[in-house]
Structure formats: C-alpha cells, structure tokens
Amino acid sequence: MPREFSEKDIEIFNKLAPEAGGEPISREAGHHFPYILRPISHKFAESAEDFRERLERLDPEELDYLVGLALENKEDVRSLDEDLDELLEVVSEKVSPERAKELKDFLGLV
C-alpha cells in the first residue's frame, strides 16, 4: 500500500510540479503517487536540467526533509537514474556536502 502524502509532502510536490494542479495523482494509472521525486523525474521533468531547476525551488529544509524520507526508505531515489546526480548536487549546495554524502553512503555510491 502506498504511503499517504502528508500536507508537507503535498506542498513540496506542488512546488516541484505545479502543472499537476495540486493533485499528486497519476492521470494514466488513476492512483496517488507513492513518492514525490520519482514522478517529478519520470513524468514531469523534461530533462536532468529541468529536474534540477525544479529541485532548486525547494528551500534547504524541504530538501533535507526529502533526504530524510529517502534514508527511511519512504522516498524512492534509487530509480532517478541521471537525476540522482542532480539531487545530490543540489542537496550538497543547499543543505550540506555532509548530508549529500550521507545519502550517497546510504545508496552505496562511491
């Protein structure tokens, strides 16, 4: 069963994908997205640069919140492909290099 988005999750999702119209729902599948970042990467962002620009809309606390969810396995970042690099860079710049390293270590990246 997918996790239910909190109010904070919905606010972050809407900041990242305002074109979704305030609803974190897959129009194709007709269900709520189980994660925030994966649909932004796979459904809304048109490129790695677009994904990065969307991430840069978030404040450091919101980014840190997403990293925390990833570290708890409540947010899927493993399937972000090249967008994972963008996430790590933005976290390093806006939160801290240590927090980005913590996520890299958690994911087993060198």
Side-chain angles (χ1 to χ4, degrees):
M1 187 166 115
R3 76 178 175 94
E4 288 201 27
F5 278 19
S6 68
E7 190 172 311
K8 183 173 191 155
D9 294 335
I10 293 170
E11 287 175 19
I12 291 171
F13 186 90
N14 289 336
K15 222 179 209 187
L16 294 172
E19 65 270 37
E23 289 294 325
I25 297 173
S26 170
R27 291 190 176 106
E28 296 87 21
H31 63 75
H32 283 81
F33 291 117
Y35 304 106
I36 298 170
L37 294 173
R38 186 171 67 195
I40 301 304
S41 173
H42 295 205
K43 304 273 185 203
F44 296 100
E46 296 178 13
S47 65
E49 294 79 22
D50 183 23
F51 184 73
R52 181 187 182 91
E53 289 173 10
R54 290 168 186 269
L55 290 176
E56 289 175 345
R57 297 175 189 166
L58 301 178
D59 62 41
E61 293 78 23
E62 291 166 327
L63 280 166
D64 191 54
Y65 171 76
L66 290 174
V67 171
L69 289 177
L71 294 173
E72 295 173 12
N73 284 316
K74 294 180 180 177
E75 183 62 40
D76 178 21
V77 296
R78 293 180 193 279
S79 68
L80 296 182
D81 303 321
E82 70 273 0
D83 289 340
L84 178 57
D85 293 333
E86 300 299 330
L87 173 63
L88 291 167
E89 285 181 25
V90 174
V91 168
S92 182
E93 293 166 8
K94 291 186 84 168
V95 179
S96 73
E98 294 78 20
R99 192 66 162 158
K101 183 181 181 325
E102 185 179 358
L103 182 57
K104 281 178 79 171
D105 290 347
F106 175 77
L107 296 170
L109 302 174
V110 177

